[in-house]
Amino acid sequence: MRLSSTRKTAISAYNFEQPLPMSSSTSSPPHRPPGSGEIVAGCLSPHPPHLVYASNPQQNEPKSSGAGAWKSLLDGYQSLRKSLEDREFDVIVVHTPHWKTRVGHHFLGVPNFEGLSVDPIFPNLFRFHFDLQVDVPLAEAIQEEAAQEGLVTSMMRNPEFRVDYGTITSSYLVRPELDVPIVAISSARSYFDYSNEVGEREMLALGRATRRAVEQSGRRALLLASCSLSHRHFTEEPEDPEDPAFEHIHNGNQEAWDRHVMRLMQEGQCAQLLEQMPDFIEQAVSECKDGSLTWLLGALDVPDFPATVHGYGTVIGTGNAVVEWDMRKAHVQAGDQA
Amino acid sequence: MSAKGKIVGSFVVPSRPHALLAPDRSPAWQRLHDAYGEMAADIRALKPDLLLIFSTRWVSIIGHQMQADPKPKFWVVDEDFHELGTLHYDLNIDADFAEHYRDAAQARGLTARTVAYEGFPIDVGSITALNLLNPDGAISAGIVSCNIYSDRAETLVLGKAAADAVAASGKRVVAISVTALSNRMFTEWINPAQDSIHSAKDDEWNRKLLELLEQGRLEDVSQLAREFSRQANGDSKLKAIWWLASLSGQSNDYRGKVYAYEPIWGTGAALVGLTPQAGAGGDLEYDEDDTEVFRGDRNVLATDASEPAAKSS
Ligand SMILES: [Fe+2]
């Protein structure tokens, strides 16, 4: 075995005027002045690697049987992608539960990551060759704003770091071309180290910081909260993991909570959802304990307009919803016709 | 091999990479680093054929996973401490043993599978342990995951399955638990030179556990694990101790040695060795149940029609 010290990668100066490293989602973005950035949409985009597996992209080594266990979620993602076609975005900002950090909130800070990501939990399903561009200036800006909020933060500068499969999976399912730069934010363990209430406060602050940084950057950003709702797994897998006969919710309590939470989203009752979040987390063993959904709601200024639920389904017993908040609806609601 | 295999030593080591990657930054981490060297020499003297690791840093959901790639060669970076550098590895894994362990686990009712994939991210804890205890890879290794849902009964069965596989293998095996004791971390950036255990309470509980281990009372510590975890935020419920005690024969008959006890970012990091010594243990303070075979999750909330619910009349 050998050890190598971290090779420091030269990071371009924090300068929003500089062109983005990649073109926008559909065409080259108009050059927008600092201060004119916006969040175009926020999505709950769960990351079961099973969905990548079932999609059979060329980058993923295992090939699925096509037996169809997760069709409702795949259809949900397809519907989300279709819905997003009429908006352009320059960057995808992902909050991921599968980069778990105990010392504050971390941000990818290297411009490009390339390699093989093998899921340590489902290696039979996810061995994905990835090539991701990172919007480092925006990541640094969010980090600075988060520090202003009093959060502990860190930029991740080690070029050999392996990007977690939550980031890759959600990015892929929303944008299979993977041609839009990303910002990836780790999941700080505040809920686990302190309490759900402490975690919630931190994630709302991180959301506010994200929104401010996006606005100041001139970027048009798509935000992804990469988590499931209820999150109790079965601990065994059928011979064909995609066998629909096996797939169902772990227990009725979980689904009842999931449906309640989705109804609040559809009714624009996110303030109420946040009030109930600590109970939801405990009673449904929710992956929202990793903070992604609360971060998103904070970044979207706690939506009071209806979300679109594009799909709901289970993966190995967990409850997953694909949900979109189209920020044009927020502007309409606020009387802003711009 | 025809002779029955056996556990020739049982060891506990920390789960974080600081003693390997940055010993010079903290006197505490340097003392840990030096203690690894002493432990490595003691392990070599036991002449083991296999180092069998249970790591709390390798979590699994689908039952229990056994590493079975004979020559895993890749790298890993710590999720928090990426700034300390990259751990490159090139390991020597006993793939046959992994398969026997899987079979033994399944025979006791557990869900288990081997994994052998290029680029599989072997956990930081196992890499740190193997790097410091077996730097030239001269002794082959095995690694088993820590299921996030398993509780004591299931973890004991996983330990007993390991004992079955060890006995059948004919090998001399050293068992190694990669785990923190108290697992409360500082959640901010600290000066490593001033690292300390997070609280006096965690420190006191760690010292109590180490006092028992020094007396060789491994099974007593296993029985105390739940209370320890409640009081001192034990790492993963101290499943690694449940596994180690179960695999090693559920007794207090060991000679104990505490090589080091130091903080790593506030957590309790200890290096402990236990070698079998008949009659050493004295009275046992057992009050936990024992389990031979795992009979599955009891999903009392299941609503699926295929799972018959208990009827009251
Ligand atoms: Fe997850």
Side-chain angles (χ1 to χ4, degrees):
Chain A
M1 277 178 275
R2 73 191 161 84
L3 301 178
S4 72
S5 61
T6 305
R7 290 196 302 270
K8 299 288 181 193
T9 302
I11 302 297
S12 50
Y14 170 20
N15 174 10
F16 287 128
E17 297 294 334
Q18 73 181 25
L20 287 166
M22 300 280 295
S23 65
S24 84
S25 59
T26 51
S27 63
S28 291
H31 190 69
R32 297 160 67 92
S36 68
E38 62 175 347
I39 297 169
V40 297
C43 306
L44 177 61
S45 56
H47 59 249
H50 305 64
L51 303 181
V52 173
Y53 167 77
S55 306
N56 270 324
Q58 176 220 331
Q59 301 102 307
N60 198 33
E61 289 179 5
K63 297 300 167 207
S64 88
S65 69
W70 311 297
K71 187 169 183 318
S72 61
L73 281 165
L74 292 168
D75 289 349
Y77 266 111
Q78 190 173 36
S79 167
L80 171 62
R81 289 193 295 271
K82 182 125 196 65
S83 170
L84 290 171
E85 276 175 6
D86 64 356
R87 273 153 291 169
E88 294 189 354
F89 42 92
D90 311 311
V91 61
I92 296 175
V93 185
V94 191
H95 187 277
T96 174
H98 286 282
W99 176 11
K100 299 178 191 297
T101 49
R102 301 274 304 268
V103 189
H105 307 262
H106 297 220
F107 303 81
L108 291 184
V110 176
N112 173 251
F113 288 95
E114 202 183 334
L116 172 63
S117 173
V118 177
D119 177 357
I121 294 170
F122 299 101
N124 52 327
L125 305 180
F126 190 84
R127 305 192 299 279
F128 192 91
H129 295 266
F130 66 94
D131 184 358
L132 290 172
Q133 309 301 319
V134 176
D135 185 342
V136 176
L138 180 59
E140 289 172 340
I142 299 173
Q143 187 229 347
E144 287 186 17
E145 291 291 342
Q148 291 291 325
E149 291 275 354
L151 299 176
V152 175
T153 62
S154 173
M155 290 301 297
M156 202 304 298
R157 306 287 194 191
N158 186 332
E160 293 179 311
F161 190 75
R162 255 184 286 183
V163 179
D164 71 285
Y165 69 90
T167 296
I168 296 172
T169 297
S170 291
S171 302
Y172 171 80
L173 290 168
V174 171
R175 183 77 186 169
E177 300 85 350
L178 292 175
D179 58 353
V180 179
I182 65 160
V183 168
I185 310 176
S186 77
S187 168
R189 308 278 84 198
S190 332
Y191 293 77
F192 298 84
D193 283 330
Y194 299 101
S195 68
N196 289 341
E197 288 74 11
V198 169
E200 288 285 287
R201 282 203 296 274
E202 284 205 9
M203 298 317 297
L204 288 171
L206 185 65
R208 287 194 298 272
T210 304
R211 181 172 73 248
R212 283 200 305 274
V214 166
E215 287 170 354
Q216 288 158 23
S217 74
R219 310 285 204 271
R220 294 163 302 184
L222 173 67
L223 268 53
L224 305 181
S226 171
C227 67
S228 301
L229 295 178
S230 69
H231 203 234
R232 183 55 165 93
H233 301 80
F234 293 110
T235 57
E236 49 200 48
E237 201 175 57
E239 191 152 340
D240 176 1
E242 207 172 349
D243 180 355
F246 173 85
E247 189 59 72
H248 55 89
I249 193 79
H250 188 274
N251 63 70
N253 165 72
Q254 310 289 87
E255 184 168 344
W257 261 111
D258 290 344
R259 297 213 175 272
H260 172 69
V261 164
M262 286 188 287
R263 185 175 59 75
L264 293 176
M265 293 172 175
Q266 286 169 313
E267 292 176 353
Q269 305 281 349
C270 289
Q272 190 182 337
L273 171 54
L274 285 176
E275 281 173 21
Q276 297 176 4
M277 190 71 83
D279 285 344
F280 171 52
I281 285 171
E282 289 313 307
Q283 294 179 23
V285 203
S286 173
E287 200 177 28
C288 292
K289 189 160 183 155
D290 294 277
S292 308
L293 179 57
T294 300
W295 161 78
L296 179 65
L297 297 180
L300 303 184
D301 204 15
V302 190
D304 57 1
F305 59 90
T308 302
V309 175
H310 288 282
Y312 173 77
T314 68
V315 178
I316 196 155
T318 65
N320 298 272
V322 180
V323 182
E324 176 192 5
W325 284 271
D326 177 347
M327 294 309 285
R328 291 172 302 193
K329 292 183 185 171
H331 301 151
V332 168
Q333 192 126 327
D336 170 8
Q337 301 297 318
Chain B
M1 288 177 222
S2 53
K4 214 171 155 191
K6 60 179 179 182
I7 299 293
V8 294
S10 309
F11 293 82
V12 179
V13 296
S15 65
R16 293 188 170 79
H18 300 64
L20 173 62
L21 290 175
D24 50 335
R25 294 196 192 185
S26 161
W29 305 347
Q30 184 65 56
R31 286 191 289 272
L32 287 169
H33 180 273
D34 297 346
Y36 273 106
E38 190 187 343
M39 181 185 275
D42 286 354
I43 287 176
R44 274 195 301 275
L46 293 169
K47 298 192 179 355
D49 305 307
L50 174 70
L51 307 178
L52 182 58
I53 290 175
F54 175 106
S55 175
T56 59
R57 297 290 299 270
W58 180 12
V59 300
S60 60
I61 288 172
I62 305 298
H64 308 272
Q65 302 192 135
M66 290 82 180
Q67 181 55 243
D69 179 352
K71 293 278 174 204
K73 184 175 180 180
F74 222 73
W75 66 88
V76 66
V77 176
D78 190 88
E79 289 175 294
D80 270 296
F81 302 101
H82 32 77
E83 178 261 341
L84 297 182
T86 303
L87 289 158
H88 289 266
Y89 56 84
D90 186 356
L91 305 179
N92 171 17
I93 296 287
D94 187 337
D96 286 344
F97 182 84
E99 284 173 17
H100 290 132
Y101 189 5
R102 174 203 58 206
D103 294 346
Q106 289 175 347
R108 283 183 179 264
L110 297 169
T111 296
R113 66 182 177 194
T114 54
V115 297
Y117 301 106
E118 189 197 346
F120 185 93
I122 296 183
D123 68 282
V124 167
S126 296
I127 298 301
T128 301
L130 287 171
N131 200 316
L132 288 166
L133 297 176
N134 185 34
D136 53 3
I139 311 165
S140 63
I143 310 172
V144 63
S145 68
C146 175
N147 184 289
I148 58 169
Y149 293 111
S150 69
D151 208 278
R152 184 171 186 275
E154 185 171 352
T155 310
L156 292 193
V157 175
L158 184 68
K160 290 178 185 181
D164 297 341
V166 167
S169 74
K171 293 176 191 285
R172 296 171 60 82
V173 177
V174 158
I176 301 173
S177 279
V178 174
T179 182
L181 300 183
S182 69
N183 199 31
R184 222 179 310 266
M185 270 177 91
F186 293 113
T187 56
E188 66 230 347
W189 300 106
I190 62 168
N191 175 356
Q194 290 166 4
D195 201 352
S196 61
I197 299 294
H198 191 281
S199 70
K201 184 182 177 191
D202 286 359
D203 188 33
E204 198 168 339
W205 270 101
N206 289 334
R207 289 179 190 280
K208 172 52 74 179
L209 228 58
L210 292 170
E211 181 188 317
L212 297 177
L213 289 171
E214 197 154 40
Q215 294 166 4
R217 294 167 63 185
L218 177 58
E219 180 58 23
D220 281 351
V221 170
S222 170
Q223 302 268 329
L224 192 62
R226 285 189 203 280
E227 184 61 17
F228 175 86
S229 293
R230 265 193 298 270
Q231 297 285 347
N233 194 27
D235 183 1
S236 309
K237 300 184 184 177
L238 287 194
K239 288 179 203 184
I241 295 289
W242 285 336
W243 176 83
L244 191 71
S246 168
L247 161 59
S248 304
Q250 296 177 292
S251 85
N252 287 333
D253 294 338
Y254 306 94
R255 189 157 35 83
K257 177 174 178 181
V258 176
Y259 294 82
Y261 165 58
E262 300 288 348
I264 296 183
W265 221 268
T267 65
L271 283 99
V272 181
L274 297 140
T275 42
Q277 187 176 49
D283 292 342
L284 300 172
E285 297 177 6
Y286 293 179
D287 55 6
E288 288 269 18
D289 281 347
D290 194 10
T291 310
E292 294 298 328
V293 174
F294 185 62
R295 301 191 193 282
D297 287 331
R298 289 175 289 282
N299 185 0
V300 296
L301 294 171
T303 51
D304 182 74
S306 65
E307 294 188 32
K311 297 261 181 356
S312 57
S313 60

